[in-house]
C-alpha cells in the first residue's frame, strides 16, 4: 500500500462526497469490516470533518458485532460470510444508534485466503448505505485476487462510489 493518505484513488470521491454533505448540512457514519477503518479515516482526513462525520465502527470480528451492532449468538451461528443483507443490517443499526443522515457499510473478503463461495472469494465486497428513505445495497468484485491491502482500499472506493450515487440520487433501492 502506498504511504500516501488518504489513498489517491479515493481523493476525487472524498472531495465530491464531503462537499455535498457540508453543503446540505447532512451527516455520515460508517460501519466497516474488512476495510479496517479506511473509510472512516479517509472521511476524517477532510478538513471540517466534525461538521459531517458522526462516528464509525470497525466490526471486524463476529464478537464485535454482538457488542456493538445488535447481533446475537443466532446471528453468528447463521453467518456464512459477507452478504448484502448483512451489510444492510449493520448500516441500519449504526445509523439508528448514531443518528446520522447516512451510514455507509462494507463487508468483504480481503484475502489472501478465502473460501469456495462467491462471497468468500478474495476481492468480493458487499456494500450498503442506510438512509431515512431505505437502504441501498450493491456487490462488487475488485479483480485484485488475494492482495489484501489493495482489496481493502478498493472496498473503501466501492463504498464511496455507492455513497456518492445515493447522495446524487443515482442509486436504486
Amino acid at each position: 500500500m502506498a504511504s500516501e493518505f488518504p489513498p489517491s484513488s479515493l481523493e476525487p470521491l472524498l472531495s465530491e462526497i464531503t462537499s455535498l454533505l457540508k453543503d446540505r448540512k447532512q451527516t455520515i457514519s460508517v460501519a466497516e469490516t474488512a476495510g479496517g477503518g479506511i473509510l472512516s479515516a479517509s472521511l476524517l482526513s477532510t478538513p471540517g470533518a466534525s461538521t459531517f462525520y458522526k462516528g464509525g465502527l470497525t466490526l471486524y470480528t463476529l464478537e464485535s458485532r454482538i457488542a456493538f451492532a445488535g447481533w446475537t449468538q443466532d446471528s453468528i451461528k447463521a453467518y456464512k460470510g459477507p452478504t448484502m443483507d448483512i451489510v444492510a443490517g449493520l448500516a441500519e443499526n449504526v445509523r439508528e444508534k448514531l443518528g446520522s443522515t447516512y451510514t455507509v457499510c462494507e463487508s468483504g473478503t480481503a484475502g489472501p485466503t478465502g473460501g469456495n463461495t462467491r462471497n468468500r472469494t478474495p476481492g468480493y465486497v458487499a456494500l450498503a448505505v442506510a438512509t431515512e428513505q431505505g437502504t441501498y445495497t450493491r456487490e462488487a468484485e475488485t479483480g485484485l485476487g488475494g492482495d489484501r491491502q489493495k482489496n481493502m482500499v478498493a472496498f473503501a472506493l466501492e463504498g464511496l462510489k455507492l455513497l456518492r450515487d445515493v447522495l446524487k440520487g443515482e442509486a436504486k433501492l
Side-chain angles (χ1 to χ4, degrees), residues 108-129:
T109 304
T113 60
N116 298 324
T117 59
R118 178 175 177 243
N119 66 328
R120 294 287 198 156
T121 302
Y124 169 88
V125 64
L127 307 151
V129 174

Side-chain angles (χ1 to χ4, degrees), residues 13-32:
L13 281 169
L14 283 169
S15 177
E16 184 177 5
I17 288 166
T18 58
S19 290
L20 287 168
L21 291 169
K22 288 178 191 178
D23 291 348
R24 297 175 182 177
K25 296 184 177 14
Q26 295 177 324
T27 58
I28 185 76
S29 58
V30 180
E32 300 177 77

Side-chain angles (χ1 to χ4, degrees), residues 52-73:
F52 63 82
Y53 184 83
K54 295 282 275 193
L57 296 166
T58 302
L59 301 164
Y60 188 75
T61 65
L62 298 180
E63 295 81 9
S64 68
R65 296 175 194 187
I66 288 175
F68 301 109
W71 278 36
T72 65
Q73 285 298 327

